[in-house]
Amino acid sequence: MRYRQLLAVMVLCVAAAGCADTQEAREQNDPLEPMNRVFFGINHSLDNKVALPAATFYRSVTPEVFRTHLHNFLSNLHLPITFANDILQGNFSRGGDAVGRFGVNTTLGFGGVFDVASDWGMPYHQEDFGQTMGWYGVPPGPYLVLPLAGPAYPRDIAGGFVDRYFDPLHYFAINHDHYWSWTRRILTFVDARSRSIADLRMIERSSIDLYATTRSLYSQARQTEIRNGEPDIQGLPDF
């Protein structure tokens, strides 16, 4: 988390270095587009040279059943954070699904390795404090691309700090030993990349401006998550 704090400070320090004043940048809430494009280029190069090859190798040498169980396990670890944010949003029904799913899969599913809860009518969903703030109308702030971390909004960066305290594993660090935390992050990253290889390649092949496409898709995805998948009726006239 110190790394993210340093990144946030760095972004604020260079914010005035190159602000875009185009209509598109204003519409996309991207006043730092020149700086963001530089960081996007760095991230994209590293992604092609390191992340995607690693994810492709992992997918090619690891049996699908193992990948599925690992994904289930990692998803289960996030459910306490989801439950806390469901309650903060006043969505007690979804909160009940989250805590019920966590209880069933942690016990009968052997720590979440097996997804028993989905068959019991408790499908997976994910919430974070950035979504909670968005649900209450907190604006996202300017679009950012963080080096080695990807797209983000200041609201969601701040939300990530709060989510740490909703995560029971945060309190298990002994003598500030964060090896487990970093292992979890790396596994989560590789799991996510391996599940989206085809989509990422299709987006890259079909995009005239990959940066603009990524920005648009990220913004739409966050808005959909904040609305819990409900259609944006107010936004329909914009089409």
Side-chain angles (χ1 to χ4, degrees):
M1 301 312 275
R2 289 181 180 177
Y3 172 69
R4 282 188 173 271
Q5 289 175 325
L6 290 173
L7 288 178
V9 171
M10 181 180 67
V11 167
L12 291 175
C13 288
V14 301
C19 296
D21 192 27
T22 65
Q23 181 179 355
E24 181 183 2
R26 290 193 296 271
E27 291 176 350
Q28 295 294 329
N29 196 18
D30 189 7
L32 305 177
E33 183 174 345
M35 179 191 70
N36 284 337
R37 283 185 178 274
V38 171
F39 290 154
F40 178 82
I42 295 172
N43 290 347
H44 184 59
S45 177
L46 290 174
D47 199 44
N48 282 332
K49 294 178 180 178
V50 180
L52 281 177
T56 302
F57 176 77
Y58 164 75
R59 190 177 181 87
S60 64
V61 302
T62 308
E64 182 178 359
V65 64
F66 177 86
R67 298 197 307 270
T68 299
H69 291 325
L70 177 61
H71 176 74
N72 291 342
F73 174 73
L74 294 171
S75 298
N76 194 61
L77 293 178
H78 194 272
L79 285 174
I81 298 174
T82 294
F83 168 71
N85 283 287
D86 280 331
I87 298 304
L88 288 174
Q89 295 174 30
N91 200 327
F92 300 106
S93 175
R94 283 166 64 90
D97 286 343
V99 72
R101 181 182 177 88
F102 181 76
V104 168
N105 282 353
T106 300
T107 54
L108 300 181
F110 297 95
V113 172
F114 296 94
D115 182 8
V116 180
S118 289
D119 294 332
W120 289 17
M122 291 176 282
Y124 180 77
H125 71 279
Q126 182 170 314
E127 296 285 339
D128 56 61
F129 196 69
Q131 291 171 243
T132 297
M133 288 191 287
W135 190 85
Y136 281 106
V138 177
Y143 177 77
L144 300 173
V145 178
L146 303 180
L148 305 181
Y153 290 114
R155 178 191 63 199
D156 298 330
I157 295 173
F161 293 121
V162 177
D163 283 332
R164 286 192 305 164
Y165 298 97
F166 296 151
D167 186 354
L169 294 180
H170 172 71
Y171 301 97
F172 280 90
I174 301 175
N175 296 326
H176 302 287
D177 184 355
H178 297 290
Y179 290 114
W180 159 246
S181 176
W182 279 105
T183 300
R184 176 183 173 184
R185 292 179 190 178
I186 292 172
L187 288 175
T188 300
F189 177 79
V190 173
D191 172 64
R193 269 295 184 268
S194 68
R195 295 170 66 86
S196 60
I197 291 174
D199 291 335
L200 291 171
R201 288 176 173 167
M202 181 190 68
I203 291 170
E204 184 169 3
R205 287 195 302 266
S206 61
S207 296
I208 297 176
D209 184 348
L210 184 59
Y211 170 83
T213 301
T214 302
R215 178 181 60 191
S216 178
L217 290 174
Y218 178 78
S219 176
Q220 293 175 41
R222 287 303 287 171
Q223 287 300 317
T224 299
E225 290 169 348
I226 290 169
R227 298 192 305 269
N228 294 328
E230 296 296 328
D232 183 11
I233 298 177
Q234 293 180 345
L236 288 179
D238 294 337
F239 291 100

